[in-house]
Amino acid sequence: MDNALLSMRGLNAHYNDFQALYDVDMHVAEGEVLAIIGANGAGKTTLMRSITGLLNNGAGQISYRGQDISGHRADQVASIGIAMVPEGRQLFPSLSVEENLMIGGQVGRKGPWDLAAVQKLFPILKERRNVPATALSGGQQQMVAIGRALMANPDLILFDEISLGLAPIIIKDIYDALPGIIGEGMSAMIVEQDISKALSVSSRLYCLQEGRVSLEGQSDTVERADISRAYFGIE
Ligand code: ATP
């Protein structure tokens, strides 16, 4: 797709001898919210790590705004406007809530997201700004991870299983905040195990199965039976 914000062609990824992604072709259009679904081990995290330059060992091409970014380092990818909210949050345990947020700001991109904007979105992060990030509940830590990514003022934000291990009420809070987070113009790629949730927030989806794209569809029209087939590989 020529006018895609991000596109991947023939993307592969390996962990030593193990191949985790096979010839993945995908794109994210400008302003689009894309869902990536798939069972445990299907390659969703590997895909996000490949895009963000954390994993870089396979053939294939990744383009962003028409520029080939294959082989770029993580800091280079961040500086052109791609941020990730990683699975498991990966906060710095010895740093305070505010210090963790400020790390995202070091990318140095201009935009609407600064400390005050993040604290307005999640007021608890202002209240608890001086405590170590690990003193927060899981849901609050997830808010820090989201806030840290926003502080980089990305054009494309990747969410890796943001609801994993959180109480339903917190998941609802986080998903309720998503439209305001994504806002006008920002694009997002959401990895989510809960298929209903993935469909409800996205306009389009891809399913991965054992490292391959097994389905691409429009979130509002895709058939559940097709998803089951693509997800579990059941014919
Ligand atoms: P999950 O929902 O469990 O996070 P996923 O779809 O994100 O699953 P990945 O984490 O991308 O899947 O893993 C894809 C495959 O790569 C799995 O078979 C996994 O065991 C393997 N894998 C992931 N990380 C490593 C690693 N560091 N070393 C070796 N194999 C790995």
Side-chain angles (χ1 to χ4, degrees):
M1 204 184 145
D2 288 345
N3 63 348
L5 179 63
L6 178 81
S7 62
M8 289 150 266
R9 281 271 162 272
L11 187 67
N12 289 268
H14 302 264
Y15 297 104
N16 300 313
D17 292 343
F18 178 77
Q19 186 161 357
L21 291 179
Y22 293 85
D23 298 329
V24 169
D25 291 345
M26 270 186 197
H27 69 270
V28 188
E30 191 105 39
E32 180 172 54
V33 178
L34 186 72
I36 309 291
I37 60 172
N40 283 339
K44 307 180 297 296
T45 297
T46 302
L47 173 71
M48 295 211 155
R49 299 185 74 225
S50 300
I51 294 168
T52 51
L54 294 170
L55 183 68
N56 204 334
N57 60 12
Q61 195 185 35
I62 306 177
S63 307
Y64 184 71
R65 297 195 184 286
Q67 180 196 354
D68 185 358
I69 61 163
S70 324
H72 276 33
R73 294 186 315 266
D75 60 309
Q76 295 173 305
V77 175
S79 71
I80 58 171
I82 302 178
M84 176 158 74
V85 182
E87 185 177 351
R89 309 183 273 272
Q90 298 178 21
L91 304 179
F92 291 93
S94 62
L95 298 185
S96 70
V97 166
E98 188 164 309
E99 287 165 340
N100 268 281
L101 290 173
M102 293 310 289
I103 284 172
Q106 285 175 5
V107 170
R109 287 172 55 84
K110 297 259 176 295
W113 293 102
D114 56 13
L115 193 58
V118 169
Q119 289 173 338
K120 188 164 174 233
L121 179 72
F122 298 125
I124 188 73
L125 302 188
K126 184 170 186 186
E127 236 170 79
R128 310 211 64 195
R129 62 185 176 276
N130 293 322
V131 305
T134 46
L136 301 184
S137 70
Q140 292 165 356
Q141 288 187 29
Q142 190 60 279
M143 292 170 191
V144 177
I146 293 170
R148 179 182 57 186
L150 291 173
M151 292 278 289
N153 278 297
D155 295 327
L156 173 64
I157 185 162
L158 313 181
F159 294 99
D160 195 356
E161 307 220 11
I162 47 175
S163 50
L164 198 70
L166 301 182
I169 178 94
I170 305 290
I171 296 173
K172 183 177 178 308
D173 281 355
I174 287 178
Y175 269 89
D176 284 352
L178 273 191
I181 290 171
I182 293 165
E184 239 171 275
M186 201 192 281
S187 310
M189 202 164 166
I190 297 181
V191 164
E192 180 54 73
Q193 291 241 350
D194 180 333
I195 295 173
S196 301
K197 207 155 242 31
L199 293 178
S200 71
V201 294
S202 63
S203 52
R204 208 159 54 81
L205 78 129
Y206 290 96
C207 185
L208 283 176
Q209 191 203 330
E210 294 181 358
R212 292 181 168 86
V213 174
S214 54
L215 179 73
E216 177 189 355
Q218 297 294 326
S219 304
D220 55 353
T221 55
V222 67
E223 296 285 342
R224 283 298 180 131
D226 290 337
I227 293 182
S228 299
R229 244 190 318 274
Y231 198 97
F232 299 110
I234 302 165
E235 284 304 324

